[in-house]
C-alpha cells in the first residue's frame, strides 16, 4: 500500500468489552488540519493511541508518513509531535529547561528558536520544576514542546483542556501559524466548536467508534442548509437530516442540492432558505446519529 497520504488507515478495528472502534477507513493528505469531533467515548483518543502505536489495532493496517506502523517506529515517531490527553508531562521530573533539553536531543527537527519563542509566549519559566506546574501550565508545556519539535505531523488530543481563555487564543494562533506553511499536518481532537471553526480544513465526526462524516469544512458549510416549504412533503427526502412540521415545514439537509432537486421534482417551492452554523451542524450530526442508533436498535429488538 504505497500512497502520498500522511495517514492511511484501512479496515482498522479495535474492540474493548463495551466499545468497538471501526472498521475504519481514513486517508489524510499532507498539509491539512483535521478536527476530530464527537461525544465523550466516541473513540478519538483510542484512534490517536493507535496512530501513536500506544495500542495495537485488532485488525487492519495503518500507514503513517509512508511507513506501515510497527516498522522504523523510532524514526517515524521523531517526525511526529504529540500532545496526549493525559500527558507524560504529568510524570516528568526535572525542570522545564531539562525537559526541553531532553526533547531537543531526541527530535532532529527541534527548533531552539521556536522553543524560546513559545516558552516566552506561554510564560514557561525554565527553572520551574515540572511537577510543581499547574494543570494548565503542564498543558502549555506539552504543547510548546510538541510544536518546537517542528514535526511533519502534529497530533493534539484536546490540547486546550485546562488552559485559560487568554492563553487558549495564543495556542490557536500558534496552531494556525504552524499549519500555515501548507506542508505540515495537524490532527486535533476537540469539543470546542471555535477550534473547529478557526482551525479545521476537514472535520472528522466520530460516533460510537464509527467515522460517520469526513468532509472538508467549507464544503460542509456550503452543503448544509435549512429549507422552509409550504406543502406537506413525504419525509425522508434525499439529504434530509431533520424536519419540523409547523405552518411551514422546516427541513434540515446535509446536501442542499439533492434535497432541492427532490423538492423541485415533487413540485414543492422553497419559501425560505438559510445557512446552518457549524455548531448547529455538529449538533444535528449528533442528533441524527443518536436517532439512527435508536432506530437500528428498535429494528433489532434491543
Ligand atoms: N483500556 C481500555 N479498556 C476498556 N475500554 C477502554 C479502554 N480504553 C478506552 N476504552 C473505552 O473506549 C471508548 C472510547 O474511549 P476514547 O477515550 O477513545 O473516547 P474519546 O472520544 O476520546 O472520549 P472523550 O471525548 O471523553 O475524550 C470508551 O467507552 C472507553 O471507556
Amino acid at each position: 500500500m504505497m500512497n502520498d497520504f500522511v495517514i492511511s488507515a484501512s479496515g482498522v478495528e479495535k474492540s474493548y468489552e463495551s466499545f468497538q472502534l471501526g472498521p475504519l477507513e481514513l486517508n489524510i493528505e499532507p498539509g491539512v488540519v483535521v478536527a476530530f469531533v464527537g461525544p465523550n467515548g466516541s473513540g478519538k483518543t483510542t484512534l490517536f493511541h493507535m496512530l501513536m502505536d500506544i495500542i495495537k489495532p485488532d485488525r487492519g493496517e495503518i500507514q503513517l508518513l509512508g511507513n506501515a506502523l510497527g516498522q522504523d517506529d523510532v524514526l517515524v515517531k521523531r517526525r511526529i509531535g504529540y500532545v496526549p490527553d493525559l500527558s507524560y508531562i504529568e510524570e516528568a521530573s526535572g525542570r522545564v529547561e531539562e525537559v526541553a533539553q531532553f526533547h531537543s536531543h531526541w527530535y532532529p527537527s527541534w527548533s531552539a528558536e521556536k522553543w524560546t519563542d513559545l516558552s516566552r509566549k506561554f510564560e514557561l519559566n525554565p527553572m520551574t520544576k515540572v511537577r510543581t506546574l499547574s494543570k494548565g501550565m503542564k498543558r502549555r508545556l506539552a504543547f510548546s514542546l510538541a510544536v518546537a519539535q517542528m514535526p511533519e505531523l502534529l497530533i493534539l488530543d484536546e490540547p486546550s483542556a485546562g488552559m485559560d481563555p487568554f492563553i487558549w487564543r495564543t495556542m490557536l494562533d500558534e496552531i494556525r501559524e504552524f499549519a500555515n506553511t501548507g506542508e505540515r499536518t495537524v490532527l486535533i481532537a476537540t469539543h470546542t466548536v471555535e477550534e473547529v471553526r478557526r482551525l479545521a480544513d476537514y472535520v472528522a465526526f466520530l460516533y460510537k467508534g464509527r467515522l460517520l462524516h469526513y468532509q472538508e469544512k467549507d464544503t460542509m458549510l456550503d452543503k448544509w442548509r435549512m429549507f422552509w416549504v409550504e406543502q406537506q412533503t413525504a419525509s425522508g427526502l434525499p439529504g434530509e437530516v431533520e424536519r419540523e412540521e409547523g405552518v411551514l415545514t422546516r427541513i434540515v439537509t446535509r446536501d442542499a442540492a439533492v434535497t432541492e432537486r427532490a423538492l423541485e421534482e415533487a413540485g414543492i417551492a422553497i419559501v425560505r432558505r438559510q445557512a446552518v452554523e457549524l455548531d448547529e451542524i455538529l449538533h444535528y450530526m449528533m442528533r441524527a446519529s443518536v436517532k439512527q442508533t435508536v432506530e437500528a436498535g428498535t429494528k433489532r429488538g434491543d
Side-chain angles (χ1 to χ4, degrees):
M1 187 169 66
M2 272 303 287
N3 54 50
D4 293 330
F5 295 116
V6 173
I7 291 169
S8 198
S10 168
V12 168
E13 290 180 47
K14 177 80 195 171
S15 291
Y16 291 121
E17 207 177 353
S18 54
F19 175 76
Q20 187 188 338
L21 182 89
L24 189 99
E25 308 295 322
L26 180 67
N27 290 310
I28 298 178
E29 63 199 74
V32 296
V33 179
V34 183
F36 284 81
V37 296
N40 292 132
S42 54
K44 302 178 292 296
T45 297
T46 305
L47 173 61
F48 285 3
H49 280 174
M50 282 196 287
L51 297 179
M52 291 307 293
D53 210 19
I54 295 167
I55 57 168
K56 304 267 180 217
D58 301 331
R59 260 179 291 283
E61 198 183 337
I62 298 176
Q63 286 224 341
L64 220 58
L65 300 166
N67 296 271
L69 268 192
Q71 294 167 13
D72 296 330
D73 272 355
V74 172
L75 292 177
V76 175
K77 278 192 179 154
R78 286 183 173 177
R79 295 158 65 193
I80 304 174
Y82 177 46
V83 176
D85 52 341
L86 294 169
S87 180
Y88 72 97
I89 295 284
E90 299 292 329
E91 276 109 51
S93 59
R95 297 177 195 277
V96 166
E97 71 173 0
E98 287 161 352
V99 176
Q101 276 267 325
F102 177 77
H103 253 71
S104 70
H105 293 311
W106 183 252
Y107 296 102
S109 51
W110 175 266
S111 161
E113 197 185 334
K114 190 73 193 164
W115 166 251
T116 308
D117 176 44
L118 289 172
S119 56
R120 190 183 48 79
K121 282 185 183 149
F122 286 92
E123 295 164 15
L124 295 161
N125 180 342
M127 297 314 287
T128 308
K129 285 196 175 121
V130 173
R131 66 177 164 72
T132 66
L133 291 172
S134 71
K135 194 170 117 205
M137 291 302 288
K138 282 183 183 145
R139 220 65 197 142
R140 296 182 190 195
L141 175 58
F143 176 79
S144 302
L145 290 169
V147 173
Q149 270 173 242
M150 305 299 275
E152 288 162 61
L153 172 62
L154 182 62
I155 300 181
L156 307 168
D157 198 346
E158 294 181 41
S160 58
M163 273 190 194
D164 67 63
F166 177 73
I167 218 70
W168 173 71
R169 284 180 187 283
T170 308
M171 186 196 74
L172 291 191
D173 290 344
E174 285 303 322
I175 298 175
R176 252 209 310 246
E177 192 192 312
F178 179 84
N180 248 348
T181 62
E183 282 157 17
R184 304 194 191 109
T185 309
V186 181
L187 313 189
I188 175 168
T190 179
H191 292 294
T192 310
V193 177
E194 207 47 34
E195 290 177 8
V196 184
R197 198 191 321 273
R198 292 204 201 180
L199 299 172
D201 299 308
Y202 282 82
V203 179
F205 179 77
L206 275 166
Y207 183 76
K208 295 201 170 176
R210 288 185 304 141
L211 183 63
L212 294 186
H213 301 270
Y214 183 76
Q215 201 172 32
E216 222 166 334
K217 184 184 67 188
D218 291 343
T219 308
M220 189 181 265
L221 289 167
D222 278 347
K223 285 189 151 191
W224 282 72
R225 283 287 177 276
M226 277 185 211
F227 292 146
W228 280 262
V229 296
E230 271 175 2
Q231 293 104 318
Q232 295 286 322
T233 67
S235 62
L237 290 169
E240 177 179 326
V241 175
E242 218 173 87
R243 67 168 54 204
E244 191 181 46
E245 310 277 353
V247 181
L248 295 176
T249 299
R250 185 175 63 101
I251 297 166
V252 180
T253 170
R254 69 160 77 110
D255 196 338
V258 300
T259 310
E260 199 162 351
R261 204 172 314 128
L263 286 167
E264 216 173 271
E265 278 164 12
I268 295 165
I270 298 170
V271 291
R272 204 182 139 207
R273 55 190 82 215
Q274 190 180 301
V276 191
E277 295 287 330
L278 186 63
D279 55 337
E280 291 174 310
I281 294 177
L282 298 177
H283 167 79
Y284 285 123
M285 276 184 185
M286 202 90 82
R287 283 238 299 241
S289 317
V290 174
K291 219 164 88 190
Q292 267 172 22
T293 313
V294 170
E295 279 166 8
T298 314
K299 276 185 201 138
R300 282 201 313 269
D302 291 2

